[in-house]
């Protein structure tokens, strides 16, 4: 080593900056700040001409002399206790590397609002409720000399002896003071309770007295793994209604008993208030619920309570994978196959994969639960990397629903009268089943993964489909509003009189949920019908209202998109019908069959969860298609074995690893040119063919245009992630030559290929 000109006692800091730039940056540590620097603290740093947020990662080596002159000092250390715990930093490092995203941006994304700016952390007080309780024997008649206090006490007794102080103060002016006086006289007691918001209370079932044998075995094994410590990935494969949630609750309970932390990830909280309600009713304020409807302050409060270890359990959607749970001992991922665990913008992480990585880094238990595990997870279980625990039977030995095929080729012939629209989509068999179910006072779920009245409009003369001017997508017709709408960009306008090309009449083809609603209303005018899709339900409040009125049996029929397929537990539902099983079958995506199987099985699992047995009707034009045939046989094993084999032959995940490079630009030619340029760069960096790395494309994306942007993509595929590194590095370097008018994203482990 050569002696440096600057080498006195200077120390340097490695810092990740909260900006979209790669790599770590070196800053000089001013002597006054040195004692306060702890890895994970947020710092204020000069960057370019501004002062921005950075994250101190640890000491940096002394830079070379020529660089040293340019190194700037840290401006300020923003906190005494690091905002980022070491395990979260470690997870972020993995994510930044794996998903090829700047570390500083990953770190910043994990923080609650308020901490993602270069400011000191604001302490949020717990929100408490003050409750006044009248003490035994408190008698207002003893208070004749103090009429105001008498009134306050009388009010309290009149409402049952306890009330929220705010409420009393609202009813009786000055009541706060009077209540304090009553406390001094030993007539009233004041209690404070932590206020917990954001969950429908009372939706959680009581703790069952007895576990099923299979649940008991699973819980025993999980408890042993929890107590033993160390990385232990487990797949809990349990049929719908087998009581997986109870298993999660027990293992979290065990962690809490030991004073340790737990993290539970769920796909969508708004859609599954019951699940969160069960955690809340079991653990009360010991759970922080992290969902998108929280205010900034609520989010910050929950985050602070977790980091300080005051709250030990976090239940949340995918972003909760970053929650600073103290002394984390178990992570649960419910419905691990659910596509919503993959974030589809910015940092395109998969929360299930990161959950497993976090457990590995920390050395703890991770439980992936599903009735229909993803092929990725299944493969890990088959190879013995994950332990497999199974629940093969429903709780209380309730039967699995009976599955019936309705072959639409036979049951839905096109007639002369129905030629210019679609014939009824409810087949005679399905109508009869709905009628029988309603007659018994039981409930029906109808599932169709398409919105609107007609999903496309075709010109009878020239055969053209009516398309969005900005997207390569057919417009959906909504009869209620008599408008057509693009479900990609949201553009809508009144239904044209005829074909924009030739003026010919437009045929309304392809059915959506709005159309089914109309058919049900016509066939069963007395039925109370609700619709659950993103057109009908635009706010979380309406969603909760709709789900709870269905739960209270104020509705007979619930019609909806995949929103009805989630983990709902409605014991009154005995008939579930898949109106058209084929919608996702032919999508140009290698996961189309898997998605179809998952969706059909999940929605079928909503039937017969109560005392009455359930049945499922599946309407289809493709009864021989693998996912539909296998689903009708209740044959998950057969389906997954064959689908795994197909993936192996075609070299798709889980056999191979993928990265998709997506390009978007207003100028179609420029987009194509950039795609070819990146592909060329990748090609030059390809390892020898024996390594099995391949480049697919460049080619226009299956949906060639969205919101006026032309889309191209290329895919790099290989046996391992490491094998993809060469071509992906080359693509990243070549990005410098791509004009800024072309937007490029690299999506590692893409969830969808459209
Ligand atoms: P899954 O998530 O596997 O579909 P759930 O956890 O929703 O199943 O359980 C289905 C229903 O059975 C729920 O209403 C739940 O409260 C109930 N349940 C779970 N375990 C038991 C048990 N051991 N005894 C009685 N009821 C149970
Ligand atoms: Zn559009």
């Amino acid at each position: 080593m050569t002696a440096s000109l600057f080498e006195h006692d200077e120390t340097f800091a490695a810092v990740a900056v909260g900006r979209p730039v790669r790599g770590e940056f070196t800053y000089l540590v001013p002597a006054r700040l040195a004692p306060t620097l702890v890895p994970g603290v947020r710092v204020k740093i000069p960057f370019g001409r501004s002062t921005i947020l950075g994250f101190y990662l640890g000491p940096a080596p002394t830079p070379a002399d020529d660089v040293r002159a340019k190194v700037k000092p840290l401006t300020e250390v923003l906190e005494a206790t690091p905002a980022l715990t070491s395990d979260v930093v470690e997870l972020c490092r993995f994510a930044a590397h794996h998903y090829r995203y700047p570390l500083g941006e990953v770190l910043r994304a994990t923080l609650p609002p308020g901490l993602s700016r270069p400011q000191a952390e604001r302490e949020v007080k717990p929100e408490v409720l003050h409750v006044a309780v009248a003490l035994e024997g408190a008698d207002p008649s003893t208070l004749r000399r103090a009429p105001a206090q008498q009134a306050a006490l009388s009010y309290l007794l009149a409402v049952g002896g306890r009330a929220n102080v705010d409420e009393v103060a609202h009813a009786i002016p000055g009541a706060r003071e009077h209540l304090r006086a009553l406390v001094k006289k030993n007539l009233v007691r004041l209690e404070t309770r932590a206020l917990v918001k954001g969950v429908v209370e009372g939706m959680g079932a009581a703790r069952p007295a007895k576990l099923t044998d299979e649940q008991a075995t699973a819980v025993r094994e999980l408890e042993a793994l929890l107590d033993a410590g160390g990385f232990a990935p487990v797949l809990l494969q349990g049929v719908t209604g087998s009581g997986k949630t109870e298993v999660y609750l027990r293992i979290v309970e065990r962690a809490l008993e030991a004073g340790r932390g737990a993290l539970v990830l769920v796909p969508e909280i708004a859609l599954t208030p019951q699940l969160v309600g069960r955690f809340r009713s079991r653990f009360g304020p010991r759970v922080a619920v992290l969902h998108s409807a929280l205010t900034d302050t609520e989010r910050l409060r929950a985050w602070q309570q977790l980091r300080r270890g005051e709250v030990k359990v976090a239940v949340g959607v995918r972003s909760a994978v970053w929650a600073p749970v103290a002394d984390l001992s178990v992570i649960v991922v419910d419905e691990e196959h659910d596509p919503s665990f993959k974030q589809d913008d910015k940092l395109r992480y998969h929360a299930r994969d990161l959950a497993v990585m976090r457990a590995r880094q920390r050395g703890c238990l991770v439980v992936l639960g599903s009735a229909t595990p993803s092929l990725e997870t299944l493969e890990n279980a088959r190879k013995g990397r994950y332990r497999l625990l199974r629940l093969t039977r429903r709780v209380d030995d309730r039967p699995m629903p009976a599955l019936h095929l309705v072959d639409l080729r036979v049951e839905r012939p096109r007639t002369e009268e129905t030629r210019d629209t679609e014939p009824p989509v409810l087949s005679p068999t399905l109508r009869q089943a709905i009628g029988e179910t309603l007659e018994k006072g039981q409930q029906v779920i109808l599932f169709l993964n398409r919105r609107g009245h007609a999903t496309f409009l075709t010109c009878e003369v020239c055969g053209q489909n009516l398309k969005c001017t900005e997207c390569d997508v057919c417009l959906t017709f909504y009869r209620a509003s008599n408008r057509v709408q693009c479900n990609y960009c949201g553009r809508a306008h009144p239904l044209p009189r005829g074909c924009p090309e030739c003026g010919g009449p437009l045929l309304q083809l392809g059915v959506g949920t709005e159309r089914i609603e109309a058919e049900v209303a016509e066939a069963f005018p007395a039925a109370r019908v609700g619709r659950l899709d993103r057109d009908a339900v635009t706010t979380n409040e309406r969603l909760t209202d709709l789900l709870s009125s269905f739960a209270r049996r104020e509705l007979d029929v619930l019609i909806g998109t995949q929103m009805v397929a989630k983990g709902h537990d409605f014991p009154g539902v005995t008939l579930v019908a898949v109106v058209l099983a084929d919608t996702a079958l032919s999508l140009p995506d290698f996961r189309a069959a898997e998605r179809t199987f998952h969706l059909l099985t999940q929605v079928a699992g909503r039937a017969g969860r109560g005392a009455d047995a359930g049945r499922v009707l599946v309407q289809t034009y493709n009864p021989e298609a693998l996912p539909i045939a296998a689903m009708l046989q209740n044959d998950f094993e057969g389906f997954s074995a064959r689908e795994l084999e197909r993936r192996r032959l075609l070299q798709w995940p889980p056999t191979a690893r993928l990265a998709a490079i997506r390009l978007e630009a207003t100028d179609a030619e420029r987009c194509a040119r950039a795609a070819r340029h990146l592909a060329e760069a990748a090609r030059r960096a390809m390892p020898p063919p024996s390594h099995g790395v391949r480049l697919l494309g460049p080619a226009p994306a299956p949906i060639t245009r969205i919101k006026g942007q032309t889309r191209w993509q290329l895919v790099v595929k290989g046996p391992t992630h490491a094998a993809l590194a060469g071509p992906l590095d080359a693509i990243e370097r070549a990005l410098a030559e791509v004009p800024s008018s072309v937007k490029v994203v690299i999506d590692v482990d893409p969830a969808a290929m459209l």
Side-chain angles (χ1 to χ4, degrees), residues 468-473 475 485-491 705-708:
C468 176
T469 51
E470 300 302 302
C471 310
D472 174 33
V473 168
L475 294 172
Q485 183 181 317
C486 170
N487 283 338
Y488 274 84
C489 72
R491 258 162 202 270
R705 226 159 58 96
I706 292 182
K707 296 182 189 169

Side-chain angles (χ1 to χ4, degrees), residues 328-400:
L328 183 61
S329 65
V330 54
I331 308 178
V332 172
V333 184
D334 185 33
E335 309 288 3
E336 68 83 31
H337 65 278
D338 196 286
S340 74
F341 283 121
K342 172 85 177 178
Q343 172 142 309
D344 64 3
D345 69 341
K346 299 199 178 119
L347 173 63
R348 292 158 191 267
Y349 65 98
H350 200 300
R352 179 243 293 143
D353 297 347
L354 287 185
V356 174
M357 181 47 69
R358 189 167 178 184
R360 174 196 297 273
Q361 290 176 336
R362 222 194 121 63
C364 76
L365 176 62
V366 55
V367 184
L368 308 182
S370 177
T372 53
S374 63
L375 291 179
E376 282 79 359
T377 298
L378 211 58
E379 183 78 337
N380 280 322
R382 285 180 190 203
K383 294 218 162 130
R385 290 189 210 116
Y386 296 178
R387 182 187 295 235
L388 176 63
L389 297 177
R390 301 193 57 173
L391 307 177
T392 59
R393 307 167 70 101
R394 283 189 159 180
V395 169
D396 289 343
D397 278 324
R398 282 171 202 149
M400 292 303 288

Side-chain angles (χ1 to χ4, degrees), residues 601-663:
T601 305
Q602 290 293 334
V603 71
R606 302 312 109 210
R609 295 171 72 92
D612 300 305
R615 60 174 159 162
V616 178
L617 298 190
V618 178
Q619 302 200 125
T620 178
Y621 288 104
N622 294 283
E624 286 93 32
L626 173 63
I628 296 176
M631 179 267 169
L632 284 164
Q633 298 297 320
N634 212 344
D635 185 15
F636 179 70
E637 303 306 320
F639 168 75
S640 41
R642 286 183 59 185
E643 181 65 11
L644 272 172
E645 181 56 19
R646 192 181 71 91
R647 300 272 183 94
R648 204 180 57 73
L649 286 173
L650 299 172
Q651 291 288 301
W652 288 115
T655 309
R657 301 287 177 269
L658 301 185
I661 295 88
R662 304 211 182 84
L663 299 93

Side-chain angles (χ1 to χ4, degrees), residues 205 208 210-212 215 238-246 278 395-396 398 569 606 609:
K210 203 169 167 306
L211 294 178
T212 66
Q215 281 177 322
V239 299
T240 53
S242 58
K244 293 183 288 295
T245 311
E246 189 57 38
R278 277 154 87 177
V395 169
D396 289 343
R398 282 171 202 149
D569 192 27
R606 302 312 109 210
R609 295 171 72 92

Side-chain angles (χ1 to χ4, degrees), residues 682-693 723 726-727:
R683 214 168 274 127
R684 282 198 299 269
M686 275 298 177
S690 62
H691 290 224
V693 180

Side-chain angles (χ1 to χ4, degrees), residues 21-317:
V21 286
R22 292 290 165 86
E24 292 170 13
F25 290 73
T26 298
Y27 283 84
L28 176 70
V29 182
R32 69 185 165 88
L33 296 181
T36 56
L37 267 184
V38 190
V41 288
R42 298 175 310 127
V43 291
K44 216 160 151 178
I45 48 168
F47 192 76
R49 265 186 275 151
S50 39
T51 303
I52 66 163
L53 181 67
F55 303 95
Y56 173 62
L57 300 170
T62 302
D65 287 349
D66 52 334
V67 184
R68 165 65 191 90
K70 292 189 216 121
V71 170
K72 293 182 191 160
L74 297 175
T75 311
E76 197 182 328
V77 175
L78 288 164
E79 60 219 2
T81 317
L84 295 155
T85 56
S86 58
D87 59 337
V88 172
V89 173
E90 203 185 347
L91 185 65
C92 289
R93 279 186 191 276
F94 169 80
H97 169 76
H98 186 81
Y99 297 106
R100 294 178 172 259
Y101 209 76
L103 177 60
E105 289 279 277
V106 178
L107 293 166
R108 206 158 70 105
T110 72
L111 292 173
L115 288 179
S116 53
R117 287 186 295 274
Q119 297 164 352
E121 179 175 343
R122 171 172 66 98
E123 199 66 31
V124 184
K125 295 219 172 59
E127 201 169 1
V128 290
L129 207 60
H130 296 280
V131 181
V133 184
L135 293 177
E136 188 89 22
D139 181 0
S141 65
T142 63
L143 292 167
R144 288 208 190 89
R145 301 256 206 80
Q149 292 172 25
Q150 186 181 38
L153 183 57
S154 300
Y155 177 90
L156 207 53
L157 291 168
V159 295
R162 69 176 12 247
N164 189 342
V165 172
D166 286 342
E167 177 197 325
V168 186
H170 195 74
I172 297 167
R176 285 174 209 284
E177 206 179 304
H178 309 322
L179 286 170
R180 269 197 293 276
L182 291 167
V183 169
K184 287 213 187 93
K185 293 182 179 167
N186 262 331
L187 298 170
V188 165
R189 182 176 77 229
L190 286 181
E191 289 176 358
T192 50
R193 277 197 298 143
L195 186 68
V196 283
K197 258 179 68 180
V199 184
V200 189
E201 303 280 348
M203 277 184 108
R207 190 177 195 270
K210 203 169 167 306
L211 294 178
T212 66
D213 289 349
E214 289 182 329
Q215 281 177 322
T217 308
V219 169
R220 229 183 358 257
E221 293 221 20
L222 292 173
E223 285 179 348
L225 292 169
L226 182 79
D227 295 348
F231 176 49
V234 176
L235 166 58
L236 178 66
Q237 186 181 350
V239 299
T240 53
S242 58
K244 293 183 288 295
T245 311
E246 189 57 38
V247 175
Y248 308 150
L249 287 163
R250 296 291 166 113
I251 197 70
V252 169
E253 202 171 274
R254 177 77 158 211
L256 275 176
E257 277 164 10
R260 310 195 60 195
L263 174 59
V264 181
L265 301 182
V266 298
E268 274 158 293
I269 284 187
L271 271 173
T272 46
Q274 287 170 323
L275 183 120
V276 179
R278 277 154 87 177
F279 274 88
R280 182 65 92 204
S281 62
R282 194 72 59 87
F283 302 119
R286 289 181 293 169
V287 183
V289 177
L290 307 170
H291 55 86
S292 56
L294 295 184
T295 65
D296 287 359
T297 301
E298 288 166 339
R299 198 178 301 280
L300 182 57
R301 177 186 298 123
W303 184 90
Q304 287 174 342
Q305 290 174 329
L306 286 168
R307 194 190 46 177
R308 288 195 296 256
E310 293 163 10
V311 171
K312 295 229 152 54
V313 183
V315 178
V317 290

